[in-house]
Amino acid sequence: MADYDIPTLKEEIDRETVEQVLALDVDKYKYGFETEIESDVLPPGLTEETVRFISAKKEEPEWMLEWRLDAFRRFQTLEEPNWAKLHYPKIDLQAISFYAAPKSFNGPKSLDEVDPELLKTYAKLGIPLKEQAILAGVQGAAESVGTPFGANVAVDAVFDSVSVVTTFREELAKVGIIFCSISEAVREHPELVKKYLGSVVPVSDNYYATLNSAVFTDGSFVYIPKGVRCPMELSTYFRINEKNTGQFERTLIIADDDSYVSYLEGCTAPMRDENQLHAAVVELVALDNAEIKYSTVQNWYPGDKDGKGGIYNFVTKRGDCRGVNSHISWTQVETGSAITWKYPSCILRGDGSRGEFYSIAISNGYQQVDSGTKMIHLGKNTSSRIISKGIAAGFSDNTYRGQVSAHAKAKNARNFTQCDSLLIGDKCGAHTVPYIESRNGTAVFEHEATTSKISDDQMFYCLQRGLNEEEAVALIVNGFVRDVLQHLPMEFMVETQKLISISLEGSVG
Amino acid sequence: MTTPVLEIRNLHARIEEREILKGVNLVIPQGEVHAIMGRNGSGKSTLSYVLAGKEDYEVTEGEILLNGENILEMEPDERAAAGLFLAFQYPIEIPGVATMTFLKAAINAQRKARGEGELSTPDFMRAVKEAGAQLNVDSAMLKRPLNVGFSGGEKKRAEIMQMALLKPSLAVLDETDSGLDIDALQVVSKGVNALRDGKRSMLVITHYQRLLNHIVPDVVHVFSDGRIVESGDKDLALKLEAEGYANYGGEAA
Ligand SMILES: Nc1ncnc2c1ncn2[C@@H]1O[C@H](COP(=O)(O)OP(=O)(O)O)[C@@H](O)[C@H]1O
Ligand SMILES: [Mg+2]
């Protein structure tokens, strides 16, 4: 059944966040500590020592440690939010290990040692063998040339807590682009990190972002200099490998004036009975006339058919269109995770800036998705566009939660929102929760929402032409998401179409 | 004698507790085109759906043999792969799925089910081009989502084009003439006639005799109240056109 909830939860309205962002002064950390390190692996639990350990392990400067400790202290005062339409047992942070360095890349020695189910999934996705080896964390594989997305994509792969390989760096460096792990950026480019880290998602933005700020282990850093069009797609491939680890990566992308970058993020995780926590933060900064395209294909383990295991994915992604006529677009394909809590957002601060959100969220089995976006119009003549396609099958629950707001100075703000849900079967749920808030009379916001089912007639028609039930559902769903699919880079489009079939397996019959 | 392509024996079928087919008997030998004519509501579409295996219908008695094989236990997609094609009276819209994409998915699904390899893209394109030319289906139409916003003529042309590509041994055409003006009717009929190759059999369902001037049948059957009540050659269609269905009982349509 579908419904149309009336927004009541004030926590979700993040005027507070906006004010924090506006007020932020990132240059205030001057203290430092040193910690002795004994061990490579951190036992479960979260204390101040955990934070010091991670920072020391990463050979971070003092200001970075202090930044983390500040976040940790704030985190201790926060409560886990409960406004999302999600149900799960309380997460015991003391049972999670917050740092799991792949001990000199302690992965499998060859593909023979990799979980065959995982390899099956890779094979279905059409990922070549050599690249499967990288994704599966096979020792030494990452040093070979392959990347998961073909030749013209630069990849930074994050396995558990550590960034392992960054390809094509030299080629990028020729045009002044910095593409490296965030740990390396902290050491090598402190002026940029200090200036921008936490400037879009403030340390105390929300429970999970604050946790991430204290314990983030790795992630990617990108800086595109003024006037440079990044000559290739940049990409991060995330992978949770170790048992009982949380993954807390942190990504920071800065597009300086008149620059352009397209960034792809892919995720996989092996099957585990336990739930694993993932709480990432992604910050994007687009300066004058700059454009950032950020695309995600999230395919983390969703749990088994009875709802056991799977990733808890609590992610904070936000882009700041800081410069005039800047442009940020988020495109996401969410098919994995037991729980997805994710609202990639845009702060449209620069006059004439533009934000876009294109989303495909598929839930099957016992998956729960609460995802959407926020478009916060601050500048004049800002515009935003939201197209969300939610597909619910099995016993899953799929909620679109979106906020569009215009502040007093956002003259002529424009938003168009299209939010479509497709239900497969009658045991799943789709919900649409739009928050619309305008403090400017010249703002024009349009919202359209539909909920539909795959009709028996459509199914019969496809079957009559020879497609089996699963093929028919996949084809119809691919048609349903076409408007969004078109916004994906080529590398992801084919993969996504296959992913749709895989994630809807067992949804009919 | 070779096995008939279609043999229906004493077929009874119901939907929602209501019996619609009440003992259909029909044999279509290889290469023959048979027409079924009958008033609206007599059960013609029901027969086509039951042949294709639509799940709402319950077969309570009888048999359907396709090329000698009983298909009643088969799923609709298995029947399709076995060579049965149904051109729908009201083709269904598939939003967002380009006609071309749909054609490729259908062809490859059937090939897969028969244990054949996928058609290569050049081979597929060649086949599409050939079938498209015959039916005035251009590449602009192939890019549009299947049947979405298609005119009546475009829908029927797309149906026949699928038939041309899927090469069934038995094609059931349900009111393919409905909603067509005379020009469209000619294009569609030409497309259908091009697929009469002496081997392929067809069951052409229609309410009006007009279509049978263009697709000339070998045998005409009159359908009334869920069964065939009379059979004859193509002149039977002309007689029906002149006298109407009144002589065959049942309520007036
Ligand atoms: N879903 C249904 N439920 C009940 N009766 C139906 C249903 N579909 C069709 N019928 C009935 O079955 C009879 C035959 O319909 P149909 O096969 O469509 O006839 P025709 O194609 O000859 O016009 C009609 O009386 C119609 O009302
Ligand atoms: Mg009919």
Side-chain angles (χ1 to χ4, degrees), chain B residues 40 44-46 89-90 174-175 205:
Chain B
N40 283 331
K44 304 183 299 298
S45 291
T46 301
Q89 180 172 359
Y90 304 108
D174 190 3
E175 307 257 5
I205 294 173

Side-chain angles (χ1 to χ4, degrees), chain A residues 54-123:
Chain A
I54 292 168
S55 184
K57 198 74 197 144
K58 304 215 152 273
E59 295 164 27
E60 285 177 352
E62 295 176 0
W63 61 267
M64 194 67 243
L65 174 62
E66 183 50 29
W67 197 87
R68 289 176 180 278
L69 289 172
D70 175 51
F72 178 69
R73 288 180 202 117
R74 290 175 193 230
F75 180 71
Q76 287 177 307
T77 69
L78 298 178
E79 299 258 352
E80 204 174 336
N82 62 3
W83 45 262
K85 197 174 164 16
L86 300 171
H87 303 279
Y88 55 94
K90 201 164 164 48
I91 299 168
D92 181 6
L93 294 176
Q94 300 307 333
I96 294 172
S97 169
F98 284 82
Y99 185 84
K103 309 140 199 142
S104 71
F105 230 82
N106 200 8
K109 287 187 186 64
S110 74
L111 275 178
D112 300 339
E113 294 178 20
V114 177
D115 182 349
E117 285 299 317
L118 185 69
L119 291 181
K120 242 195 262 168
T121 306
Y122 289 156

Side-chain angles (χ1 to χ4, degrees), chain B residues 15-16 18 20 39-46 57:
Chain B
I15 183 161
E16 289 165 15
R18 186 172 152 211
I20 309 289
R39 73 164 91 236
N40 283 331
S42 59
K44 304 183 299 298
S45 291
T46 301
Y57 298 87

